[in-house]
């Protein structure tokens, strides 16, 4: 949660002087500009856009942060500043959102348990906003390459720290470089095969 908050802060910081905090478009933020500089490295893997590349960086903290970062990047513009609510309206909105979350969690149980869907309508119309944004941003081949890369690159900073403590910093850095190279090469192979098959 804290990492996603840091990503939000970096998305709100302008990269160029003259822009105001939290009013800058995401691609012109500090996070966006740095991500754009690094993104060409991942173009051969099919996900050379700054959003996908930028989400990999916080993944060094913990891989589950990649999804939260993608949500922050892709949905950040859609989440305009909410209008101020009164106490009753705020409580009503909070309870409604909690009820919607409970319903969504219960309806997802068959999928989690690998059971067939029990809902009457399991169409694409029921996609979450993030799923719809990711479907527009990734092809099946690039999405598969992205998933493979995320699974194979460095597990987290805590693991690297433990490796450095047990085996020395040099071994830790060589391991990080090896894991990044492996993830990039396997992601490239997956993308090349999947783009021909899918």
């Amino acid at each position: 949660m804290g990492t996603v908050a840091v990503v939000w802060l970096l998305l709100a910081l302008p990269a160029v002087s003259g822009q105001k905090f939290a009013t800058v478009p995401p691609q012109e933020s500090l996070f966006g500009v740095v991500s754009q500089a690094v993104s060409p490295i991942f173009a051969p893997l099919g996900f050379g856009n700054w959003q996908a590349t930028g989400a990999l960086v916080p993944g060094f903290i913990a891989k589950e942060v990649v999804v939260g970062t993608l949500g922050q990047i892709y949905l950040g513009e859609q989440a305009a500043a909410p209008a101020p609510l009164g106490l009753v309206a705020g409580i009503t909105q909070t309870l409604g959102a909690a009820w919607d979350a409970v319903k969504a969690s219960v309806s997802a149980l068959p999928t989690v348990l690998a059971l067939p869907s029990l809902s009457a309508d399991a169409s694409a119309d029921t996609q979450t906003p993030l799923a719809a944004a990711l479907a527009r941003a990734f092809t099946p081949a690039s999405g598969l390459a992205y998933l493979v890369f995320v699974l194979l690159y460095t597990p987290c900073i805590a693991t690297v720290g433990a490796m450095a403590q047990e085996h020395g910093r040099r071994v830790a850095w060589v391991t990080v470089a090896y894991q990044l190279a492996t993830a990039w090469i396997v992601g490239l192979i997956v993308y090349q095969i999947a783009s021909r098959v899918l």
Side-chain angles (χ1 to χ4, degrees), residues 58-81:
F60 275 109
I61 307 297
K63 287 198 179 182
E64 60 271 13
V65 175
V66 172
V67 176
T69 303
L70 287 170
Q72 187 71 28
I73 292 170
Y74 282 110
L75 303 179
E77 288 182 326
Q78 296 176 11

Side-chain angles (χ1 to χ4, degrees), residues 157-173:
I157 199 72
T159 303
V160 174
M163 246 188 297
Q165 190 174 26
E166 292 291 323
H167 304 288
R169 289 183 183 174
R170 184 169 191 265
V171 170
W173 286 113

Side-chain angles (χ1 to χ4, degrees), residues 73-187:
I73 292 170
Y74 282 110
L75 303 179
E77 288 182 326
Q78 296 176 11
L85 297 173
L87 178 62
V88 174
I91 291 172
T92 304
Q93 185 177 5
T94 302
L95 291 175
W99 178 247
D100 290 342
V102 168
K103 288 192 305 188
S105 297
V106 169
S107 67
L109 281 177
T111 305
V112 171
L113 300 174
L115 300 173
S117 178
L118 303 175
S119 67
D121 182 23
S123 67
D125 296 337
T126 60
Q127 279 187 339
T128 65
L130 180 58
L134 292 175
R136 288 188 301 272
F138 290 93
T139 64
S142 65
L144 188 59
Y146 191 75
L147 290 174
V148 167
F149 186 89
V150 170
L151 287 172
L152 293 178
Y153 84 124
T154 308
C156 66
I157 199 72
T159 303
V160 174
M163 246 188 297
Q165 190 174 26
E166 292 291 323
H167 304 288
R169 289 183 183 174
R170 184 169 191 265
V171 170
W173 286 113
V174 167
T175 303
V176 167
Y178 172 76
Q179 289 172 324
L180 286 170
T182 301
W184 194 92
I185 291 167
V186 174

